[in-house]
Amino acid sequence: MSKKVLLLTLQTFSTTGGIQKMTRTLGYTLNQIAQANNWDFELWSAYDHTGDLMPEYLPASNFKAFGINKLSFALKAVIKKFNSRDVIILSHINLAVIGLIVKIMNPKCQVWLVAHGIEVWRPFSFIKKRFLKNCDKVICVSNYTRQQMLDRHHIDKDRCIVLNNAIDPLMPLPLTFSKPANLLDRYELNNSYPVVFTLTRMASTEKYKGHELVIEAIGKLKNEYPGIKYILSGKYDELEGVRINKLITDHDVSDQIILTGFIEEAELTDHFLLADLFVLPSKKEGFGIVFIEALACGLPVICGNADGSIDAIRNGELGRSVNTDDVTELYNCINESLAQPLTPIDREQLQKHSLHYFNQIDYAHKLQQLLTE
C-alpha cells in the first residue's frame, strides 16, 4: 500500500549539530524507503533556505525550505498537506503545536515525535503535554531518553520506541589508519605524540560537556606522557573561551592544549585518524553521534556514564564510560587507554564492530518496520 510521509524539521542542512546530523540521515533514509516502495516523501524545514539543501541527501523536489518565515511554514503545513498524509514525523518537540493541530484535523494521520535529549528532559508546556497524549509514536534515540520520557512525561511505554542513531551514510570512512601528514604538520605534532581529542559545542550557558575535566586530567597526564597533546575542537562563545583559557593557565597545560575552533565536516575523519583517543565525559548527551563517528574511524572512546552516551558504546562493548564528576577516574581511564594504544589492525576491527551496530542499512530496515506496522 502506498504511503505519504512528511518529515517536519526546524533545521536540517544549515547547521551541523547532532540533531541536524541525525535529521539528515533520517531524511536520506526515508527518501530511500519511499523510492523503494513507491511512496511519497517530503522533508520540510522551518529555518533552512532552499540553497542550504545538500542534494546528495535528497532531491530538491522532495525538499521545501521556509527560511525564517515560521508563520508561512505553519500555515502551509497545516492547511495544504496534512489531510492527505499517512505519517508525519516531527523532528523536534518545538513543533508540537503543529502536531496537535494535525491530530485534531485528521485523527487518522499517524504523528510521530523524535525525542533526542535535553529538549525533552524538562517540564513541558500545556501544548506539548497535550500533544504527547495524542501522538502515535515517540522515537527515542537512546534507552536513556526513553526512560526520561517515561519518568518525566508518563508516556505509554508501548508508544515509546528506541531507534538508535546511525552513522551518516555519506560520511567518508577510512580504509587505512595512519595519522594524516597534513594535520601533523598543521598542529606541529610528532607522529609519536599521544593525541587525545574532543569535539563538541562549548557554551558558557551549557557547562555539562566535561572538557574542563579533561583539561585537568591532561595536567596530570603530562608527567607520564611528556609529549601528550589534547586537541579541543568546536565552537565556543567569548565567555567560554575566557573560561577555557583560565583552565589552561590554572592547570599549566598551554603546551599540551590545541584549540582548533570549528572543524569543517570534510576534515572530521582526518581528525579522528590523528587522535589516539576520543574523550567526551558529558552529562547530557541524548545519544552522542560524535561517539559513533569516532568509533567508525577506529578511534577508541571514553564517555560519561550518566546519559545516552552509554547506548553509543553499547554499554561498554565498544568503549569505556566514567563518572563525570570524578577527575581521578577519568585520569586513570585515559592513562590505561594510552598505555595500550590500538594498532591499525585493532582500529580496523573496532570500526567493523561499531558499524555492525550503527550502520544505515539496519537503521533503514528498523525504520521501515515501524512505518509498515
Side-chain angles (χ1 to χ4, degrees), residues 16 21 24 54 56-57 168 170-173 180 182-183 186 199 262-273 293 297:
T16 58
K21 285 188 174 185
R24 289 202 292 266
M54 299 176 183
E56 60 268 31
Y57 287 92
D168 184 331
L170 301 182
M171 178 181 178
L173 299 180
N182 64 315
L183 294 186
R186 179 188 303 175
L199 174 66
F262 177 75
I263 292 178
E264 295 289 344
E265 286 288 305
E267 291 197 315
L268 183 55
T269 296
D270 278 352
H271 279 79
F272 287 133
L273 288 174
E293 289 178 331
C297 293

Side-chain angles (χ1 to χ4, degrees), residues 165-168 171 287-297 301 311-313 318 354-355 358:
N165 292 328
I167 283 289
D168 184 331
M171 178 181 178
F287 175 81
I289 286 178
V290 70
F291 294 121
I292 62 173
E293 289 178 331
L295 291 166
C297 293
V301 161
D311 272 33
I313 63 165
L318 297 176
S354 65
L355 290 175
F358 299 115

Side-chain angles (χ1 to χ4, degrees), residues 279-319:
V279 183
L280 181 62
S282 177
K283 296 180 179 181
K284 295 183 180 180
E285 298 298 312
F287 175 81
I289 286 178
V290 70
F291 294 121
I292 62 173
E293 289 178 331
L295 291 166
C297 293
L299 182 60
V301 161
I302 296 174
C303 65
N305 65 359
D307 59 12
S309 308
I310 295 297
D311 272 33
I313 63 165
R314 298 277 303 175
N315 295 305
E317 183 179 347
L318 297 176

